[in-house]
Amino acid sequence: MSKNVTGPEIERLIQLLARLPGLGPRSARRAALHLIKKKDQLLIPLAAAAAEASDKVGICSVCGNADTVDPCTVCSDARRDHSTIVVVEDIADLWALERAGVLRASYHVLGGTLSPLDGIGPEELNISSLVNRVRAPENPVSEIIIAVNATVEGQTTAHYIADQLEGSGVKISRLAHGVPVGGELDYLDEGTLSAAMRSRGSF
Amino acid sequence: MSKNVTGPEIERLIQLLARLPGLGPRSARRAALHLIKKKDQLLIPLAAAAAEASDKVGICSVCGNADTVDPCTVCSDARRDHSTIVVVEDIADLWALERAGVLRASYHVLGGTLSPLDGIGPEELNISSLVNRVRAPENPVSEIIIAVNATVEGQTTAHYIADQLEGSGVKISRLAHGVPVGGELDYLDEGTLSAAMRSRGSF
Protein backbone atom coordinates (compact mmCIF):
# COMPACT_ATOMS: atom_id res chain seq x y z
CA MET A 1 0.00 0.00 0.00
CA SER A 2 2.05 2.94 1.26
CA LYS A 3 4.85 0.67 2.38
CA ASN A 4 7.65 2.67 0.85
CA VAL A 5 6.29 6.02 1.92
CA THR A 6 5.73 5.79 5.66
CA GLY A 7 6.84 3.83 8.67
CA PRO A 8 5.26 0.55 9.81
CA GLU A 9 3.63 2.32 12.78
CA ILE A 10 1.27 4.22 10.47
CA GLU A 11 0.55 1.05 8.46
CA ARG A 12 -0.37 -0.76 11.65
CA LEU A 13 -2.71 2.05 12.72
CA ILE A 14 -4.39 2.03 9.30
CA GLN A 15 -4.85 -1.75 9.41
CA LEU A 16 -6.48 -1.63 12.84
CA LEU A 17 -8.75 1.28 11.92
CA ALA A 18 -9.81 -0.58 8.77
CA ARG A 19 -11.28 -3.30 10.98
CA LEU A 20 -13.77 -0.89 12.55
CA PRO A 21 -17.33 -1.17 11.25
CA GLY A 22 -18.03 1.71 8.87
CA LEU A 23 -14.40 2.18 7.84
CA GLY A 24 -12.90 0.50 4.78
CA PRO A 25 -9.22 0.47 3.81
CA ARG A 26 -9.51 3.84 2.08
CA SER A 27 -11.38 5.66 4.84
CA ALA A 28 -9.11 4.05 7.44
CA ARG A 29 -6.16 5.65 5.67
CA ARG A 30 -7.95 8.99 5.72
CA ALA A 31 -8.79 8.54 9.40
CA ALA A 32 -5.18 7.63 10.25
CA LEU A 33 -3.90 10.71 8.43
CA HIS A 34 -6.46 12.86 10.23
CA LEU A 35 -5.27 11.40 13.55
CA ILE A 36 -1.63 12.07 12.71
CA LYS A 37 -2.36 15.64 11.65
CA LYS A 38 -4.33 16.30 14.83
CA LYS A 39 -1.83 14.53 17.02
CA ASP A 40 -2.35 16.56 20.18
CA GLN A 41 -6.09 17.03 19.92
CA LEU A 42 -6.99 13.58 18.64
CA LEU A 43 -4.30 10.88 18.33
CA ILE A 44 -2.87 11.17 21.83
CA PRO A 45 -6.31 11.44 23.52
CA LEU A 46 -7.55 8.48 21.46
CA ALA A 47 -4.57 6.37 22.49
CA ALA A 48 -5.25 7.26 26.12
CA ALA A 49 -9.00 6.68 25.86
CA ALA A 50 -8.53 3.32 24.15
CA ALA A 51 -6.00 2.26 26.78
CA GLU A 52 -8.27 3.37 29.61
CA ALA A 53 -11.31 1.67 28.12
CA SER A 54 -9.39 -1.57 27.57
CA ASP A 55 -8.21 -1.33 31.17
CA LYS A 56 -11.52 -0.67 32.80
CA VAL A 57 -14.38 -1.79 30.61
CA GLY A 58 -15.80 -5.24 31.07
CA ILE A 59 -19.04 -7.12 30.46
CA CYS A 60 -21.64 -7.03 33.25
CA SER A 61 -21.97 -10.52 34.76
CA VAL A 62 -25.68 -10.00 35.31
CA CYS A 63 -27.07 -8.50 32.12
CA GLY A 64 -24.22 -8.48 29.57
CA ASN A 65 -23.94 -4.68 29.20
CA ALA A 66 -20.48 -3.15 28.72
CA ASP A 67 -19.43 -0.97 31.63
CA THR A 68 -16.57 -0.08 33.93
CA VAL A 69 -18.33 -1.55 36.97
CA ASP A 70 -19.76 -5.03 37.52
CA PRO A 71 -22.73 -5.26 38.04
CA CYS A 72 -23.16 -2.44 35.54
CA THR A 73 -24.68 1.00 36.18
CA VAL A 74 -28.07 -0.21 34.96
CA CYS A 75 -28.13 -3.37 37.09
CA SER A 76 -27.08 -1.54 40.24
CA ASP A 77 -29.46 1.40 39.73
CA ALA A 78 -31.88 1.19 42.68
CA ARG A 79 -34.38 3.55 41.04
CA ARG A 80 -35.04 1.08 38.24
CA ASP A 81 -37.77 -1.49 38.11
CA HIS A 82 -35.76 -4.71 38.32
CA SER A 83 -38.86 -6.88 38.15
CA THR A 84 -39.01 -6.11 34.42
CA ILE A 85 -36.25 -7.45 32.16
CA VAL A 86 -35.92 -6.20 28.59
CA VAL A 87 -34.24 -8.86 26.46
CA VAL A 88 -32.13 -7.44 23.61
CA GLU A 89 -29.82 -8.96 21.02
CA ASP A 90 -26.91 -6.61 21.45
CA ILE A 91 -25.45 -3.98 23.78
CA ALA A 92 -26.15 -1.43 21.03
CA ASP A 93 -29.88 -2.22 21.34
CA LEU A 94 -29.72 -1.66 25.10
CA TRP A 95 -28.12 1.73 24.49
CA ALA A 96 -30.70 2.58 21.82
CA LEU A 97 -33.61 1.80 24.16
CA GLU A 98 -31.98 3.84 26.91
CA ARG A 99 -31.60 6.78 24.53
CA ALA A 100 -35.30 6.50 23.77
CA GLY A 101 -35.78 6.53 27.54
CA VAL A 102 -39.19 4.85 27.53
CA LEU A 103 -38.68 2.39 30.36
CA ARG A 104 -36.53 2.36 33.49
CA ALA A 105 -36.18 -1.40 33.66
CA SER A 106 -33.28 -3.83 33.69
CA TYR A 107 -31.89 -5.61 30.64
CA HIS A 108 -30.54 -8.89 29.41
CA VAL A 109 -28.19 -8.95 26.42
CA LEU A 110 -28.40 -12.18 24.41
CA GLY A 111 -25.28 -11.52 22.40
CA GLY A 112 -26.89 -12.39 19.07
CA THR A 113 -29.70 -14.48 17.63
CA LEU A 114 -30.18 -18.16 16.98
CA SER A 115 -28.67 -18.95 13.61
CA PRO A 116 -28.15 -22.68 12.97
CA LEU A 117 -26.45 -22.00 9.64
CA ASP A 118 -23.76 -19.94 11.39
CA GLY A 119 -23.47 -22.52 14.16
CA ILE A 120 -25.13 -20.28 16.74
CA GLY A 121 -27.34 -22.40 18.98
CA PRO A 122 -28.90 -21.59 22.36
CA GLU A 123 -25.60 -22.38 24.13
CA GLU A 124 -23.83 -19.59 22.25
CA LEU A 125 -26.35 -17.02 23.53
CA ASN A 126 -26.98 -15.81 27.08
CA ILE A 127 -30.30 -17.65 27.31
CA SER A 128 -29.65 -19.99 30.25
CA SER A 129 -28.48 -17.03 32.34
CA LEU A 130 -31.78 -15.32 31.53
CA VAL A 131 -33.73 -18.38 32.63
CA ASN A 132 -31.68 -18.45 35.84
CA ARG A 133 -32.39 -14.77 36.49
CA VAL A 134 -36.11 -15.40 36.06
CA ARG A 135 -36.04 -18.45 38.37
CA ALA A 136 -33.85 -16.90 41.08
CA PRO A 137 -36.00 -16.42 44.17
CA GLU A 138 -34.11 -13.37 45.53
CA ASN A 139 -35.16 -11.03 42.74
CA PRO A 140 -38.76 -11.70 41.68
CA VAL A 141 -39.31 -10.99 37.98
CA SER A 142 -42.81 -10.09 36.83
CA GLU A 143 -42.34 -9.34 33.12
CA ILE A 144 -39.96 -10.20 30.31
CA ILE A 145 -40.12 -7.85 27.32
CA ILE A 146 -38.51 -9.52 24.34
CA ALA A 147 -37.11 -6.58 22.35
CA VAL A 148 -35.21 -8.38 19.61
CA ASN A 149 -34.99 -7.17 16.02
CA ALA A 150 -38.04 -7.74 13.82
CA THR A 151 -36.04 -10.11 11.61
CA VAL A 152 -36.62 -13.80 11.01
CA GLU A 153 -33.67 -14.70 13.26
CA GLY A 154 -34.86 -12.29 15.94
CA GLN A 155 -38.38 -13.67 15.94
CA THR A 156 -37.14 -17.27 15.99
CA THR A 157 -35.02 -16.41 19.01
CA ALA A 158 -37.98 -14.69 20.67
CA HIS A 159 -40.12 -17.81 20.25
CA TYR A 160 -37.36 -20.02 21.62
CA ILE A 161 -36.99 -17.80 24.71
CA ALA A 162 -40.75 -17.71 25.25
CA ASP A 163 -40.74 -21.53 25.14
CA GLN A 164 -37.93 -21.71 27.68
CA LEU A 165 -39.77 -19.43 30.09
CA GLU A 166 -43.08 -21.27 29.79
CA GLY A 167 -44.39 -22.30 33.17
CA SER A 168 -42.31 -19.73 35.04
CA GLY A 169 -45.42 -17.65 35.68
CA VAL A 170 -43.76 -14.56 34.29
CA LYS A 171 -45.59 -12.34 31.80
CA ILE A 172 -43.83 -12.36 28.44
CA SER A 173 -44.40 -9.51 25.99
CA ARG A 174 -42.80 -8.18 22.83
CA LEU A 175 -42.45 -4.89 21.00
CA ALA A 176 -45.37 -3.78 18.84
CA HIS A 177 -45.15 -3.89 15.05
CA GLY A 178 -46.43 -0.86 13.16
CA VAL A 179 -45.70 2.21 11.10
CA PRO A 180 -42.46 3.92 12.29
CA VAL A 181 -43.06 7.45 13.59
CA GLY A 182 -42.46 9.76 10.63
CA GLY A 183 -42.77 6.85 8.22
CA GLU A 184 -44.59 7.09 4.92
CA LEU A 185 -46.99 4.26 4.05
CA ASP A 186 -45.88 4.28 0.43
CA TYR A 187 -42.38 3.19 1.45
CA LEU A 188 -43.38 0.48 3.91
CA ASP A 189 -43.52 -3.22 3.16
CA GLU A 190 -46.76 -5.21 3.16
CA GLY A 191 -45.85 -7.05 6.38
CA THR A 192 -45.50 -3.84 8.35
CA LEU A 193 -48.67 -2.37 6.86
CA SER A 194 -50.79 -5.41 7.63
CA ALA A 195 -49.34 -5.61 11.17
CA ALA A 196 -50.13 -1.93 11.71
CA MET A 197 -53.65 -2.46 10.41
CA ARG A 198 -54.28 -5.52 12.59
CA SER A 199 -53.00 -3.73 15.70
CA ARG A 200 -54.86 -0.49 14.97
CA GLY A 201 -56.06 1.52 17.95
CA SER A 202 -58.96 3.92 18.45
CA PHE A 203 -58.32 7.54 17.56
CA MET B 1 -26.45 9.93 25.17
CA SER B 2 -25.76 6.67 26.98
CA LYS B 3 -24.67 8.52 30.11
CA ASN B 4 -26.71 6.48 32.54
CA VAL B 5 -25.84 3.17 30.96
CA THR B 6 -22.05 3.06 30.73
CA GLY B 7 -19.02 4.61 32.28
CA PRO B 8 -17.43 7.89 31.14
CA GLU B 9 -14.50 5.98 29.60
CA ILE B 10 -16.74 4.55 26.88
CA GLU B 11 -18.38 7.93 26.30
CA ARG B 12 -14.95 9.49 25.85
CA LEU B 13 -13.92 6.81 23.35
CA ILE B 14 -17.15 7.34 21.39
CA GLN B 15 -16.66 11.11 21.31
CA LEU B 16 -13.11 10.79 19.98
CA LEU B 17 -14.05 8.19 17.37
CA ALA B 18 -16.90 10.46 16.23
CA ARG B 19 -14.32 13.07 15.23
CA LEU B 20 -12.73 10.74 12.67
CA PRO B 21 -13.65 11.48 9.06
CA GLY B 22 -16.20 8.93 7.87
CA LEU B 23 -17.62 8.23 11.32
CA GLY B 24 -20.65 10.06 12.71
CA PRO B 25 -22.00 9.87 16.27
CA ARG B 26 -23.99 6.73 15.50
CA SER B 27 -21.23 4.83 13.71
CA ALA B 28 -18.73 5.95 16.35
CA ARG B 29 -20.91 4.26 18.96
CA ARG B 30 -21.00 1.12 16.86
CA ALA B 31 -17.22 1.27 16.39
CA ALA B 32 -16.64 1.75 20.13
CA LEU B 33 -18.83 -1.24 20.93
CA HIS B 34 -17.01 -3.31 18.34
CA LEU B 35 -13.70 -2.31 19.94
CA ILE B 36 -14.95 -3.21 23.43
CA LYS B 37 -16.27 -6.56 22.27
CA LYS B 38 -12.98 -7.37 20.53
CA LYS B 39 -10.88 -6.06 23.36
CA ASP B 40 -7.88 -8.36 22.92
CA GLN B 41 -7.84 -8.45 19.13
CA LEU B 42 -8.69 -4.80 18.47
CA LEU B 43 -9.00 -2.36 21.38
CA ILE B 44 -5.70 -3.13 23.09
CA PRO B 45 -3.72 -3.25 19.78
CA LEU B 46 -5.37 0.01 18.67
CA ALA B 47 -4.44 1.73 21.93
CA ALA B 48 -0.85 0.54 21.49
CA ALA B 49 -0.70 1.48 17.81
CA ALA B 50 -2.12 4.94 18.45
CA ALA B 51 0.33 5.50 21.30
CA GLU B 52 3.25 4.31 19.19
CA ALA B 53 2.22 6.44 16.22
CA SER B 54 1.80 9.52 18.41
CA ASP B 55 5.22 8.81 19.87
CA LYS B 56 7.09 8.30 16.66
CA VAL B 57 5.30 9.90 13.73
CA GLY B 58 6.20 13.40 12.70
CA ILE B 59 6.07 15.62 9.65
CA CYS B 60 9.07 15.53 7.28
CA SER B 61 10.88 18.86 7.45
CA VAL B 62 11.76 18.65 3.76
CA CYS B 63 8.58 17.60 1.97
CA GLY B 64 5.80 17.55 4.61
CA ASN B 65 5.07 13.81 4.43
CA ALA B 66 4.14 12.01 7.66
CA ASP B 67 6.72 9.46 8.72
CA THR B 68 8.65 8.10 11.65
CA VAL B 69 11.95 9.42 10.32
CA ASP B 70 12.95 12.96 9.31
CA PRO B 71 13.77 13.43 6.44
CA CYS B 72 11.08 10.90 5.51
CA THR B 73 11.57 7.58 3.72
CA VAL B 74 10.78 9.21 0.38
CA CYS B 75 13.17 12.15 0.81
CA SER B 76 16.05 9.92 1.94
CA ASP B 77 15.50 7.29 -0.76
CA ALA B 78 18.67 7.46 -2.87
CA ARG B 79 17.08 5.51 -5.76
CA ARG B 80 14.58 8.28 -6.40
CA ASP B 81 14.91 11.11 -8.85
CA HIS B 82 15.21 14.08 -6.50
CA SER B 83 15.53 16.54 -9.37
CA THR B 84 11.77 16.15 -9.91
CA ILE B 85 9.39 17.43 -7.23
CA VAL B 86 5.71 16.48 -7.35
CA VAL B 87 3.68 19.17 -5.57
CA VAL B 88 0.52 17.85 -3.87
CA GLU B 89 -2.13 19.38 -1.63
CA ASP B 90 -2.17 16.74 1.03
CA ILE B 91 -0.23 13.77 2.41
CA ALA B 92 -3.12 11.57 1.23
CA ASP B 93 -2.39 12.67 -2.37
CA LEU B 94 1.28 11.74 -1.96
CA TRP B 95 0.24 8.28 -0.74
CA ALA B 96 -2.26 7.95 -3.62
CA LEU B 97 0.40 8.77 -6.23
CA GLU B 98 2.81 6.34 -4.58
CA ARG B 99 0.17 3.61 -4.69
CA ALA B 100 -0.24 4.31 -8.39
CA GLY B 101 3.54 3.95 -8.57
CA VAL B 102 3.99 5.94 -11.76
CA LEU B 103 6.95 8.06 -10.79
CA ARG B 104 9.89 7.59 -8.41
CA ALA B 105 10.35 11.27 -7.65
CA SER B 106 10.31 13.40 -4.53
CA TYR B 107 7.31 15.32 -3.22
CA HIS B 108 6.26 18.58 -1.65
CA VAL B 109 3.07 18.69 0.42
CA LEU B 110 1.39 22.12 0.39
CA GLY B 111 -0.96 21.34 3.27
CA GLY B 112 -4.03 22.68 1.48
CA THR B 113 -5.04 25.14 -1.23
CA LEU B 114 -5.31 28.91 -1.39
CA SER B 115 -8.72 29.87 -0.09
CA PRO B 116 -9.07 33.58 0.76
CA LEU B 117 -12.60 33.06 2.10
CA ASP B 118 -11.29 30.59 4.69
CA GLY B 119 -8.35 32.86 5.48
CA ILE B 120 -5.82 30.53 3.82
CA GLY B 121 -3.22 32.63 2.03
CA PRO B 122 0.21 31.67 0.67
CA GLU B 123 1.74 31.97 4.18
CA GLU B 124 -0.54 29.22 5.49
CA LEU B 125 0.74 26.79 2.85
CA ASN B 126 4.21 25.30 2.39
CA ILE B 127 4.90 27.42 -0.68
CA SER B 128 7.96 29.41 0.45
CA SER B 129 9.67 26.16 1.47
CA LEU B 130 9.02 24.85 -2.04
CA VAL B 131 10.56 27.97 -3.57
CA ASN B 132 13.56 27.55 -1.25
CA ARG B 133 13.94 23.91 -2.29
CA VAL B 134 13.92 24.92 -5.94
CA ARG B 135 16.46 27.71 -5.38
CA ALA B 136 18.81 25.70 -3.14
CA PRO B 137 22.06 25.12 -5.08
CA GLU B 138 22.96 21.81 -3.37
CA ASN B 139 20.06 19.87 -4.89
CA PRO B 140 19.42 20.97 -8.48
CA VAL B 141 15.75 20.66 -9.42
CA SER B 142 14.85 20.21 -13.06
CA GLU B 143 11.08 19.77 -12.99
CA ILE B 144 8.14 20.68 -10.77
CA ILE B 145 4.98 18.64 -11.43
CA ILE B 146 2.00 20.42 -9.91
CA ALA B 147 -0.35 17.57 -9.00
CA VAL B 148 -3.09 19.44 -7.17
CA ASN B 149 -6.77 18.56 -7.37
CA ALA B 150 -8.62 19.63 -10.50
CA THR B 151 -10.79 22.00 -8.46
CA VAL B 152 -11.02 25.78 -8.71
CA GLU B 153 -8.97 26.17 -5.51
CA GLY B 154 -6.42 23.63 -6.69
CA GLN B 155 -5.98 25.32 -10.04
CA THR B 156 -5.73 28.78 -8.44
CA THR B 157 -3.00 27.43 -6.18
CA ALA B 158 -1.26 25.84 -9.16
CA HIS B 159 -1.18 29.18 -11.00
CA TYR B 160 0.12 30.98 -7.92
CA ILE B 161 2.94 28.45 -7.53
CA ALA B 162 3.81 28.67 -11.21
CA ASP B 163 4.04 32.46 -10.82
CA GLN B 164 6.30 32.14 -7.78
CA LEU B 165 8.67 29.83 -9.65
CA GLU B 166 8.85 31.97 -12.76
CA GLY B 167 12.42 32.80 -13.69
CA SER B 168 13.85 29.90 -11.73
CA GLY B 169 14.61 28.07 -14.97
CA VAL B 170 12.79 24.98 -13.77
CA LYS B 171 10.31 23.18 -16.00
CA ILE B 172 6.80 23.36 -14.55
CA SER B 173 4.19 20.83 -15.61
CA ARG B 174 0.80 19.66 -14.42
CA LEU B 175 -1.34 16.53 -14.56
CA ALA B 176 -3.33 15.93 -17.74
CA HIS B 177 -7.08 16.39 -17.82
CA GLY B 178 -9.13 13.69 -19.54
CA VAL B 179 -11.47 10.75 -19.31
CA PRO B 180 -10.73 8.64 -16.20
CA VAL B 181 -9.70 5.06 -17.03
CA GLY B 182 -12.87 3.00 -16.91
CA GLY B 183 -14.99 6.15 -17.13
CA GLU B 184 -18.13 6.38 -19.25
CA LEU B 185 -18.53 9.48 -21.40
CA ASP B 186 -22.22 9.71 -20.60
CA TYR B 187 -21.44 10.35 -16.93
CA LEU B 188 -18.67 12.90 -17.44
CA ASP B 189 -19.10 16.65 -17.24
CA GLU B 190 -18.64 18.94 -20.24
CA GLY B 191 -15.39 20.40 -18.88
CA THR B 192 -13.74 16.98 -18.70
CA LEU B 193 -15.03 15.97 -22.13
CA SER B 194 -13.82 19.12 -23.85
CA ALA B 195 -10.44 18.87 -22.07
CA ALA B 196 -10.14 15.24 -23.20
CA MET B 197 -11.04 16.24 -26.75
CA ARG B 198 -8.56 19.13 -26.86
CA SER B 199 -5.72 16.96 -25.51
CA ARG B 200 -6.54 14.00 -27.76
CA GLY B 201 -3.63 11.86 -28.91
CA SER B 202 -3.07 9.73 -31.98
CA PHE B 203 -4.29 6.13 -31.83
Side-chain angles (χ1 to χ4, degrees):
Chain A
M1 189 161 51
S2 44
K3 278 194 190 67
N4 310 313
V5 197
T6 56
E9 290 83 2
I10 300 180
E11 274 308 313
R12 176 106 186 100
L13 188 62
I14 294 173
Q15 279 163 15
L16 286 166
L17 288 171
R19 288 172 56 195
L20 289 180
L23 288 182
R26 193 175 278 262
S27 45
R29 212 155 43 221
R30 209 177 309 131
L33 251 181
H34 188 75
L35 283 171
I36 291 165
K37 285 183 197 164
K38 307 222 167 208
K39 190 165 147 176
D40 291 328
Q41 306 102 296
L42 208 48
L43 181 56
I44 295 175
L46 181 68
E52 194 170 13
S54 73
D55 249 19
K56 297 193 181 165
V57 175
I59 298 301
C60 173
S61 57
V62 179
C63 76
N65 186 20
D67 204 343
T68 44
V69 285
D70 185 12
C72 73
T73 321
V74 174
C75 285
S76 52
D77 183 351
R79 292 163 306 174
R80 283 175 186 264
D81 170 16
H82 290 287
S83 70
T84 300
I85 298 177
V86 182
V87 178
V88 293
E89 289 179 22
D90 196 279
I91 300 170
D93 302 328
L94 189 168
W95 293 3
L97 287 169
E98 280 296 307
R99 279 198 303 283
V102 277
L103 203 66
R104 305 271 294 165
S106 62
Y107 290 90
H108 196 87
V109 180
L110 294 173
T113 46
L114 294 175
S115 178
L117 285 176
D118 301 319
I120 300 178
E123 302 75 34
E124 275 69 46
L125 304 178
N126 303 321
I127 293 179
S128 61
S129 58
L130 173 65
V131 175
N132 290 341
R133 273 179 85 180
V134 172
R135 299 224 168 113
E138 67 272 18
N139 180 27
V141 174
S142 61
E143 183 175 0
I144 299 284
I145 305 174
I146 304 184
V148 293
N149 291 336
T151 56
V152 173
E153 295 82 9
Q155 298 308 309
T156 309
T157 311
H159 282 292
Y160 181 84
I161 291 171
D163 282 350
Q164 295 296 304
L165 294 175
E166 218 176 51
S168 64
V170 171
K171 182 183 171 190
I172 301 172
S173 56
R174 60 173 182 180
L175 295 183
H177 286 308
V179 180
V181 175
E184 297 178 44
L185 300 195
D186 197 17
Y187 290 94
L188 288 172
D189 62 297
E190 289 77 7
T192 302
L193 285 177
S194 65
M197 193 56 87
R198 276 196 307 274
S199 311
R200 67 190 178 277
S202 56
F203 197 67
Chain B
M1 191 160 49
S2 44
K3 279 193 189 71
N4 309 314
V5 198
T6 56
E9 292 80 3
I10 300 179
E11 276 306 313
R12 176 105 186 100
L13 187 62
I14 294 173
Q15 279 164 16
L16 286 166
L17 288 171
R19 289 171 56 192
L20 291 179
L23 287 183
R26 193 175 279 263
S27 47
R29 212 154 43 220
R30 208 177 309 129
L33 250 181
H34 188 75
L35 283 171
I36 291 166
K37 285 184 198 163
K38 307 222 169 209
K39 190 165 147 174
D40 291 329
Q41 306 101 299
L42 207 47
L43 182 55
I44 294 175
L46 180 67
E52 193 169 14
S54 72
D55 249 20
K56 296 193 181 165
V57 175
I59 298 300
C60 174
S61 57
V62 179
C63 75
N65 186 19
D67 203 344
T68 44
V69 286
D70 185 13
C72 73
T73 320
V74 174
C75 285
S76 53
D77 183 351
R79 291 162 307 172
R80 281 175 188 266
D81 169 17
H82 290 285
S83 71
T84 300
I85 299 178
V86 182
V87 178
V88 291
E89 290 179 21
D90 196 278
I91 299 169
D93 303 327
L94 188 168
W95 291 3
L97 287 169
E98 279 297 306
R99 279 198 303 281
V102 275
L103 202 67
R104 305 271 294 164
S106 62
Y107 290 89
H108 196 85
V109 179
L110 294 174
T113 47
L114 294 175
S115 178
L117 285 176
D118 301 318
I120 301 177
E123 302 75 33
E124 274 70 44
L125 303 177
N126 303 322
I127 292 178
S128 61
S129 58
L130 173 66
V131 175
N132 291 340
R133 273 180 85 181
V134 172
R135 297 222 171 114
E138 68 271 18
N139 180 26
V141 174
S142 60
E143 182 174 1
I144 299 284
I145 305 174
I146 304 184
V148 292
N149 291 337
T151 55
V152 173
E153 295 81 11
Q155 297 309 307
T156 308
T157 311
H159 282 291
Y160 180 85
I161 292 171
D163 281 352
Q164 295 296 306
L165 295 174
E166 219 178 52
S168 63
V170 171
K171 182 182 172 191
I172 301 173
S173 55
R174 61 174 180 178
L175 295 183
H177 286 307
V179 179
V181 175
E184 297 179 45
L185 299 196
D186 197 16
Y187 291 94
L188 287 173
D189 63 297
E190 288 78 7
T192 302
L193 284 178
S194 66
M197 193 56 85
R198 276 197 308 274
S199 310
R200 68 191 179 276
S202 56
F203 198 68

